[in-house]
Amino acid sequence: MRKTHTAVSLAIGALVPVAGYLINGTIGLEFVMLGAVIGVAYWYWGPLGLPF
């Protein structure tokens, strides 16, 4: 489960800039940062949400 969770967070982090490129035609730094933030947030909190 841990490997799947890590793979999903990396995929989210990579696909956000790809989606930005497909929509705008360029890869902006804001899409790279957004993908990184969403990917790290998913990796940290996971599909179950906050632990408390």
Side-chain angles (χ1 to χ4, degrees):
M1 181 69 176
R2 181 178 173 155
K3 290 181 182 180
T4 303
H5 181 69
T6 303
V8 169
S9 66
L10 288 173
I12 290 171
L15 290 177
V16 169
V18 170
Y21 175 75
L22 291 175
I23 292 171
N24 294 329
T26 61
I27 297 177
L29 182 62
E30 62 273 9
F31 292 114
V32 174
M33 294 303 298
L34 179 65
V37 167
I38 293 173
V40 168
Y42 181 81
W43 171 78
Y44 185 75
W45 285 291
L48 300 177
L50 294 173
F52 50 84

